[in-house]
Amino acid sequence: MAVLETIVVAFWAMLPAYVPNNAAVLAGGGRPIDGGRTWGDSRILGDGKTWRGTAVGTAAGAVLALVLNAISGDVGSVTGVGLPVFPAPAIVALPFGAMLGDILASFLKRRTGRERGAAFPGVDQLDFVVVSLALAFVAAPDWFLETFTLPVLAVVVIITPLLHVTTNVIAYKLGLKNEPW
Ligand code: CTP
Ligand code: MG
């Protein structure tokens, strides 16, 4: 597979995992998942992890996967790139895994004394990818191994932090997010 094709496949396959966090920023608010409960001196997760943000984020990623499936034939034949088609289990696992990874990161942040909104370099940029890929592997192993070859995974690990930083800086400048990370 040519380098450009690998990048396109990686981006395409990860879009349903990239969108949920951004959708959650737009949709956030309402009841926090931890219901305000604490563990030790800190909140379990904090006010930044809400039911609505998680549900809307997951739904946004799943809808995007359906849209990508609907257009992959046309885009594939115009560009000549062999684009992945998401099977039903991956349509749910990729976005839900992204939200779950972000939630687990907040859990770790609170356990390590980081307040809501504090930066956790490295974890902030890759948490959602790791859990999203892990759930996708469990949910659709054959599709996962066929799609996420080593070169594709390498591209994912490189482009994800770049995209994450860029979109968060944009969201911050637009006043949608309180911090640029
Ligand atoms: N959000 C949400 N539910 C989620 C994830 C995010 O409602 N599961 C919304 C919240 O409004 C949150 C915003 O998106 O404040 C930004 O997300 P994020 O940066 O992940 O949360 P933080 O507020 O920075 O909190 P944390 O320190 O726990 O990451
Ligand atoms: Mg944050």
Side-chain angles (χ1 to χ4, degrees), residues 52 85 95 101 140 145 152:
R52 193 167 79 207
V85 175
L145 294 174
V152 171

Side-chain angles (χ1 to χ4, degrees), residues 94-161:
L94 285 167
F96 181 67
M99 291 275 80
L100 189 62
D102 179 59
I103 290 168
L104 288 173
S106 290
F107 180 78
L108 287 180
K109 286 191 198 178
R110 301 301 93 83
R111 305 286 73 72
T112 53
R114 291 173 168 82
E115 296 298 326
R116 175 187 180 185
F120 200 163
V123 174
D124 275 331
Q125 286 72 39
L126 286 169
D127 52 17
F128 66 99
V129 175
V130 173
V131 179
S132 178
L133 291 177
L135 279 201
F137 174 64
V138 172
D142 293 343
W143 174 81
F144 181 92
L145 294 174
E146 206 177 293
T147 306
F148 292 100
T149 58
L150 281 181
V152 171
L153 282 177
V155 170
V156 169
V157 169
I158 295 167
I159 63 171
T160 301

Side-chain angles (χ1 to χ4, degrees), residues 24-25 28-29 48-50 53-54 102 106 109-110 116-117 177 179:
V25 171
K49 304 296 114 139
T50 67
T54 308
D102 179 59
S106 290
K109 286 191 198 178
R110 301 301 93 83
R116 175 187 180 185
K177 219 171 168 308
E179 305 87 16

